[in-house]
Amino acid sequence: MDVTLGLLPDSPAGDDGGGVPSGVSTTVKSILTKEDNNKNNMVMCSEVSSSYPVGDQHLGDLELGLGLSIGGGGGGGGLKGKVVAGGGWSQYARILTAKDFKQNSCSSSSCSVSIPNSATSGFKRSATDSVSPTNGNSVVGWPPVSKAHRMPSLANENKSPTGNRISVTEQNKSKNRTAVINDYSNEKARISDKKYHSVKVNMDGSLIGRKVDLNAHTSYEMLAQTLEEMFFRRRSSTEAAKSSRLLDGTSEFVLTYEDKDGDCMLVGDVPWQMFLSSVKRLRIMKNSESNELAPRFQENNERRRTDVV
Amino acid sequence: MTYSFPEEVLEHVFSFLTSQNDRNAASLVCRTWYEMERWCRKRIFVGNCYAVNPRVLIRRFPEVKAVELKGKPHFADFNLVPEGWGGFVYPWIVEFARVYPWLEEIRLKRMVVTDECLEIVSKAFRNFKVLILSSCEGFSTDGLAAVAANCRNLRVLDLRECEVEELSGHWLSHFPDSFTSLESLNIACLSLEVSFSALERLVSRSPNLKTLRLNRTVPLEKISKLLQRAPQLADFGTGAYSAEIRPDVYSSLQEAFSGCKKLKSLSGFWDVVPAYLPAVFPVCSQLTYLNLSYATTQSPDLIKVISQCHNLQRLVVLDYIEDMGLDTVAVTCKDLRELVVFPSDPFVADANVLLTEEGLVSVSQGCSKLQSVLYFCRQMSNSALISISKNRPNLTCFRLCILEPRAPDYLTFEPLDVGFGSIVENCKELTRLSMSGLLTDRVFEYIGKHAKKLDMLSVAFAGDSDLGLHHVLSGCESLRKLEIRDCPFGDKALLANASKLLTMRSLWMSSCFVSFGACKLLGQKMPGLNVEVIDERENLNLLPENAPVEKVYIYRTVSGQRLDMPDFVRIMGKDKNGVYNLL
């Protein structure tokens, strides 16, 4: 295995540590990995000479598709066949960013990005971003407010803080001091952001298991959304509308979970909080395997099959 | 060297060097100075507990009185570091107990502290004085009971935003009656009630008590009693600030506050009943620190308090303050150095309050000493950022969080590159920056070019390509901490700037495009770095080399590999013995 490592740039003038003044071009050796075959450790090295002239919109070779080789299998020709049955690894790798949906359409394969100096993006985000458009709750750790400064009680208390009036609830609170204190400790236990609650998720036909933090979600809908984003890549917002949903039975997969007793249950039957306390792991099951679940579900199954035929 | 100072003189001179940086510099001068310095260094700061290990520390510094350690990366505060990652303080405590019987102070941040650790601390160090646990977890009230019972000379017990397993509130009663040295007690993060009479007795027999921050369960009606017992308090945190409206309660509260002539810091205010707020008016003009971040009440009530705080230097408040309230701050708090505005309802897209960028601009105009900002809002514009930067070139810390990721300038729909660029260009002393909103590679270009004093940078949902990361790594000379999430940065910039990483404390990248192969390569070729891949997926060995990792945490270290890693953490490129694995 021939490995040349030019991790450090070779020209003293263009060193990577100091403040390189603008306009100086830097010769950088970088490592590009290419998968010619499926052997794990094959790396090929090439010297990439790039210039980073400030103010110039052309980005130079550095911009070459590392994004491609991960995201679209541009360089990874031989790889696809080997990877998991759920569809190429690229599915899991790609984080869709604003770049994919720019109006000035940088969809050319070189994906050179023009530095916008005019209004390019009148949009906020695309529907298929890893960030939920309406509710930031499904993005872990965003907004970046630490636990101590999240305000859990606001959801339960009066939304609009009253002025100088003292509300009935507050009067009651001061009377039932003990009750209030107990509530606080219960609240703390209930507060979904107090602790991680990660469970493993496996999908039939996929070798790669994932983990999802249930406490970053507040409803089945949100959870299904996250899982769909994890396991079923959606290419555009139009596809998102048509794409199948795990919860309503239109997908070829169903979402199930293993509970405390080891039973395999259909997700969605019990209230969310109850689900949280009994779920041990999740499984995205193929429809055909779902026979051991609740009869109600099978009925839906059969109905659908006859519809299709 | 024929002439040299006697050791005693050197030691005396070194005693004037307080900053760790100065001491480090002195120890590099020559062998003699190194030896002298190491023998007399009393205070140790370790910014990353895995950068060094206890043995190395103890070998070099035999006479340590105070230790400060930090564990998990900053993004752990936002649930990005899976539980069990590390930061266990136990091995350190065990070594300290063995070698530093006269250790007096321990400060820990984001570390896992067990009850056993606390028990050891309480018994091994006879003169133990200061325990400050910041964002720590892993211990219960039993551990606190041990500290209370055994630390005869304790002065400071400060639990800042810790996660404590609360078995009972009785731990406080374990402070013996003979214990009178308490100077600072902060239990604000605890949720269980502690015995009020035990608390009252403790306060009564602690003449040196300067800081007392209660937890939510201490009722408002009882605060007056405590304040009367401790009129010398400089820093007070109330419990729940609500009670039935009763004139006698109100007047005794007001009287109690009036008696606190030295009170400079005020916090707490959970569940605030606005009618009781005026009780603090007597102390407002003394206050230099006011934390109303739990006060869920509207702007007019907040304004009534703040408008009297002419000497305020640090203000922490919820966005209930609104632009109107911030205008008041701008007019009243002419000595303001730090402003923090937290979001009251961060998970809702629509604004529930009238807080916009205007409030921040207003404060930047009115408060000429403003240096540090942490601001959560829902909209921002380049013009506002430019104004802020021109108003306040003396900013040293600027952290802006626009709640919606990738939100553009709400007026022009452009990215906020130019705005943040203006911040780094005008604020030449900027040491800490957190950005948000729609940002392209251009903003990183500005940062690399101008932010020469930048020490810590936090980036989320920004940039277009590796060029962005390259600008930062190659341009920011003073950069020590870089944390990135959800940005399209991959291997190239990282590998090209590998040696830069040795000049930094740490680099965090999650949900980016850094590949397994690159991590392995970096780990193999850079022995001075630990390249930790943090990835919770199963069957990782089936993934191809160019597959991106979930999270990577890279830090320089002299201690080699960690041995306490959970299964989802892999240190790349080194085998178990720390030998470099080239395969």
Side-chain angles (χ1 to χ4, degrees):
Chain A
M1 179 178 66
D2 176 19
V3 179
T4 321
L5 284 219
L7 280 180
L8 308 175
D10 52 357
S11 68
D15 70 284
D16 57 329
V20 177
S22 58
V24 171
S25 81
T26 317
T27 302
V28 166
K29 275 185 184 161
S30 60
I31 315 297
L32 298 176
T33 66
K34 281 188 182 177
E35 299 293 338
D36 286 339
N37 53 39
N38 295 327
K39 290 207 186 99
N40 270 343
N41 301 305
M42 178 67 74
V43 292
M44 274 173 56
C45 309
S46 59
E47 238 176 82
V48 175
S49 182
S50 319
S51 57
Y52 305 108
V54 169
D56 191 324
Q57 295 195 0
H58 172 63
L59 294 183
D61 295 344
L62 193 69
E63 180 45 23
L64 280 187
L66 195 67
L68 281 184
S69 70
I70 289 176
L79 187 60
K80 271 190 190 158
K82 164 108 177 175
V83 185
V84 297
W89 175 250
S90 54
Q91 268 195 42
Y92 306 118
R94 191 73 191 279
I95 295 171
L96 299 173
T97 65
K99 175 178 151 184
D100 300 305
F101 301 97
K102 276 215 166 81
Q103 252 78 339
N104 55 0
S105 181
C106 295
S107 54
S108 57
S109 57
S110 67
C111 270
S112 65
V113 178
S114 59
I115 299 175
N117 51 10
S118 57
T120 52
S121 35
F123 62 95
K124 283 198 171 170
R125 72 169 54 72
S126 75
T128 57
D129 256 1
S130 56
V131 175
S132 163
T134 49
N135 189 342
N137 229 352
S138 59
V139 179
V140 176
W142 191 267
V145 187
S146 66
K147 286 164 200 153
H149 290 111
R150 289 173 210 161
M151 305 291 294
S153 50
L154 282 184
N156 304 330
E157 287 173 20
N158 35 338
K159 292 259 160 131
S160 49
T162 53
N164 289 323
R165 280 186 301 112
I166 185 169
S167 71
V168 174
T169 27
E170 280 162 349
Q171 276 176 342
N172 288 340
K173 264 192 201 166
S174 51
K175 278 182 197 148
N176 308 327
R177 183 68 45 196
T178 329
V180 167
I181 289 160
N182 288 341
D183 279 345
Y184 293 157
S185 39
N186 284 345
E187 237 171 50
K188 260 223 156 148
R190 257 192 285 126
I191 291 165
S192 59
D193 49 26
K194 179 177 160 69
K195 286 243 179 254
Y196 242 29
H197 184 185
S198 275
V199 293
K200 291 187 180 171
V201 191
N202 289 89
M203 183 166 91
D204 284 359
S206 163
L207 288 171
I208 309 293
R210 300 295 300 269
K211 256 188 165 183
V212 65
D213 177 14
L214 293 179
N215 278 341
H217 303 83
T218 55
S219 69
Y220 287 120
E221 195 57 37
M222 204 182 286
L223 176 62
Q225 222 177 323
T226 301
L227 291 176
E228 279 160 33
E229 277 161 23
M230 260 186 202
F231 289 93
F232 307 98
R233 181 192 184 197
R234 284 177 283 173
R235 284 176 196 280
S236 68
S237 46
T238 44
E239 250 194 49
K242 288 187 277 182
S243 72
S244 49
R245 305 301 300 270
L246 286 167
L247 288 181
D248 64 9
T250 56
S251 168
E252 57 164 321
F253 291 93
V254 288
L255 186 55
T256 69
Y257 69 103
E258 186 185 311
D259 71 0
K260 281 190 289 213
D261 306 321
D263 296 327
C264 185
M265 315 278 284
L266 181 65
V267 164
D269 282 345
V270 301
W272 175 254
Q273 287 295 334
M274 202 184 297
F275 165 72
L276 282 188
S277 58
S278 61
V279 62
K280 286 286 161 252
R281 55 190 301 156
L282 293 167
R283 182 176 162 198
I284 301 176
M285 197 182 284
K286 269 197 150 65
N287 243 336
S288 48
E289 310 261 336
S290 60
N291 298 327
E292 63 267 33
L293 294 178
R296 183 196 118 227
F297 178 76
Q298 266 190 314
E299 191 186 20
N300 286 345
N301 242 354
E302 274 150 12
R303 216 185 312 130
R304 213 175 325 119
R305 279 195 218 117
T306 39
D307 285 344
V308 169
V309 171
Chain B
M1 200 173 180
T2 48
Y3 285 99
S4 55
F5 285 126
E7 283 181 4
E8 300 81 26
V9 176
L10 261 185
E11 191 176 334
H12 184 69
V13 170
F14 286 157
S15 69
F16 292 99
L17 294 178
T18 46
S19 101
Q20 178 135 307
N21 285 343
D22 289 342
R23 284 194 156 254
N24 289 343
S27 65
L28 292 175
V29 167
C30 64
R31 193 95 221 147
T32 311
W33 282 38
Y34 177 90
E35 286 298 315
M36 267 317 306
E37 195 284 318
R38 82 181 185 90
W39 275 98
C40 65
R41 191 183 301 203
K42 302 272 186 289
R43 315 190 73 88
I44 306 286
F45 170 75
V46 178
N48 172 8
C49 64
Y50 291 119
V52 74
N53 62 45
R55 268 182 305 110
V56 166
L57 186 76
I58 285 167
R59 200 167 56 215
R60 181 171 172 189
F61 299 112
E63 305 260 319
V64 171
K65 288 260 161 41
V67 177
E68 182 174 349
L69 297 174
K70 294 189 180 179
K72 301 182 203 172
H74 174 233
F75 275 176
D77 288 354
F78 317 127
N79 281 357
L80 287 180
V81 178
E83 202 153 311
W85 171 82
F88 307 109
V89 79
Y90 181 79
W92 295 85
I93 301 288
V94 164
E95 288 295 303
F96 294 158
R98 194 173 60 82
V99 175
Y100 300 141
W102 297 108
L103 190 66
E104 293 178 359
E105 303 179 14
I106 293 179
R107 290 169 173 81
L108 304 176
K109 189 164 188 178
R110 293 192 200 97
M111 296 199 78
V112 177
V113 184
T114 60
D115 284 343
E116 197 181 345
C117 295
L118 292 177
E119 262 172 79
I120 296 175
V121 167
S122 75
K123 293 183 180 152
F125 309 118
R126 313 247 180 83
N127 205 23
F128 195 70
K129 294 187 178 146
V130 174
L131 183 64
I132 298 180
L133 303 178
S134 200
S135 304
C136 292
E137 52 165 0
F139 60 101
S140 77
T141 42
D142 285 353
L144 295 177
V147 170
N150 301 320
C151 295
R152 310 260 169 84
N153 296 309
L154 193 70
R155 295 194 188 160
V156 176
L157 178 59
D158 191 338
L159 307 174
R160 296 177 192 172
E161 304 184 13
C162 290
E163 270 185 49
V164 184
E165 189 189 352
E166 301 194 50
L167 306 171
S168 94
H170 289 308
W171 67 271
L172 193 83
S173 312
H174 286 252
F175 282 113
D177 290 336
S178 54
F179 172 70
T180 57
S181 52
L182 196 64
E183 292 176 16
S184 171
L185 180 66
N186 176 4
I187 54 169
C189 64
L190 299 181
S191 56
L192 281 191
E193 195 177 3
V194 295
S195 152
F196 185 78
S197 54
L199 181 62
E200 198 181 350
R201 284 197 309 275
L202 178 62
V203 169
S204 305
R205 65 177 187 276
S206 305
N208 296 324
L209 193 67
K210 297 282 184 311
T211 298
L212 179 64
R213 294 198 184 181
L214 305 170
N215 72 350
R216 205 170 176 176
T217 64
V218 179
L220 189 61
E221 303 96 39
K222 297 198 177 165
I223 285 181
S224 337
K225 267 195 242 183
L226 288 175
L227 289 178
Q228 276 154 15
R229 303 244 186 258
Q232 77 282 2
L233 279 179
D235 182 325
F236 182 63
T238 74
Y241 206 76
S242 70
E244 278 179 23
I245 311 256
R246 280 167 45 191
D248 55 327
V249 171
Y250 179 88
S251 58
S252 58
L253 188 62
Q254 188 174 47
E255 211 177 297
F257 274 118
S258 310
C260 295
K261 304 289 184 205
K262 300 199 176 161
L263 198 63
K264 291 216 149 106
S265 299
L266 205 49
S267 56
F269 298 107
W270 284 278
D271 315 311
V272 69
V273 166
Y276 275 105
L277 275 177
V280 306
F281 285 175
V283 294
C284 282
S285 58
Q286 296 162 202
L287 294 179
T288 55
Y289 172 71
L290 179 60
N291 187 332
L292 291 166
S293 62
Y294 295 110
T296 49
T297 185
Q298 280 173 337
S299 185
D301 301 310
L302 299 171
I303 288 176
K304 284 197 190 112
V305 176
I306 292 173
S307 57
Q308 305 193 42
C309 299
H310 306 281
N311 290 310
L312 207 58
Q313 293 179 12
R314 292 163 57 209
L315 176 64
V316 184
V317 74
L318 285 173
D319 56 9
Y320 286 130
I321 191 164
E322 299 191 329
D323 288 341
M324 197 170 61
L326 289 176
D327 286 339
T328 305
V329 172
V331 164
T332 309
C333 309
K334 289 306 188 187
D335 210 19
L336 197 71
R337 319 284 163 97
E338 182 179 349
L339 175 69
V340 174
V341 179
F342 283 120
S344 52
D345 218 344
F347 300 116
V348 159
D350 297 326
N352 58 330
V353 290
L354 286 168
L355 180 103
T356 68
E357 79 284 6
E358 300 278 327
L360 184 56
V361 173
S362 182
V363 174
S364 74
Q365 264 163 2
C367 302
S368 63
K369 296 192 190 166
L370 188 69
Q371 286 177 315
S372 174
V373 171
L374 171 55
Y375 199 77
F376 285 82
C377 60
R378 286 184 165 83
Q379 67 185 42
M380 187 48 62
S381 66
N382 282 311
S383 56
L385 286 171
I386 293 170
S387 297
I388 292 166
S389 73
K390 292 196 168 142
N391 290 336
R392 288 281 64 75
N394 50 328
L395 282 175
T396 54
C397 169
F398 188 72
R399 294 153 72 190
L400 179 70
C401 179
I402 305 165
L403 291 178
E404 188 148 289
R406 302 197 192 90
D409 178 325
Y410 79 100
L411 296 170
T412 65
F413 297 112
E414 285 175 5
L416 291 170
D417 300 335
V418 171
F420 279 105
S422 182
I423 294 273
V424 293
E425 190 173 353
N426 289 328
C427 305
K428 300 197 181 354
E429 302 298 311
L430 199 69
T431 52
R432 185 165 179 189
L433 178 66
S434 295
M435 306 191 293
S436 55
L438 184 64
L439 298 164
T440 72
D441 281 348
R442 175 140 268 183
V443 74
F444 298 108
E445 201 182 300
Y446 293 140
I447 290 174
K449 184 175 177 188
H450 294 287
K452 294 307 178 188
K453 299 235 174 128
L454 196 64
D455 174 273
M456 181 169 179
L457 178 65
S458 309
V459 182
F461 305 106
D464 309 305
S465 74
D466 271 57
L467 198 50
L469 180 57
H470 177 78
H471 282 309
V472 171
L473 289 177
S474 59
C476 296
E477 292 163 355
S478 311
L479 194 66
R480 285 186 320 116
K481 288 171 279 185
L482 179 57
E483 44 186 28
I484 299 171
R485 62 163 295 177
D486 292 276
C487 295
F489 300 147
D491 301 339
K492 289 178 186 167
L494 193 59
L495 295 175
N497 291 286
S499 59
K500 169 73 173 173
L501 300 176
L502 288 172
T503 67
M504 292 168 57
R505 181 187 294 175
S506 65
L507 166 63
W508 169 279
M509 292 177 75
S510 58
S511 304
C512 297
F513 290 149
V514 181
S515 70
F516 275 103
C519 292
K520 205 187 293 188
L521 201 55
L522 198 59
Q524 283 168 3
K525 293 304 154 183
M526 304 294 289
L529 296 177
N530 271 357
V531 179
E532 288 193 12
V533 166
I534 301 167
D535 202 314
E536 295 180 279
R537 292 171 296 187
E538 296 174 1
N539 298 324
L540 282 179
N541 44 338
L542 293 177
L543 295 178
E545 289 273 299
N546 66 352
V549 301
E550 278 181 354
K551 302 167 188 182
V552 60
Y553 181 50
I554 304 168
Y555 52 89
R556 65 180 174 188
T557 179
V558 298
S559 99
Q561 262 209 84
R562 294 168 57 177
L563 299 171
D564 60 355
M565 303 173 298
D567 57 6
F568 55 82
V569 174
R570 290 165 181 72
I571 299 201
M572 307 297 284
K574 301 176 172 56
D575 72 14
K576 283 199 170 44
N577 299 324
V579 174
Y580 312 128
N581 182 0
L582 287 175
L583 288 178

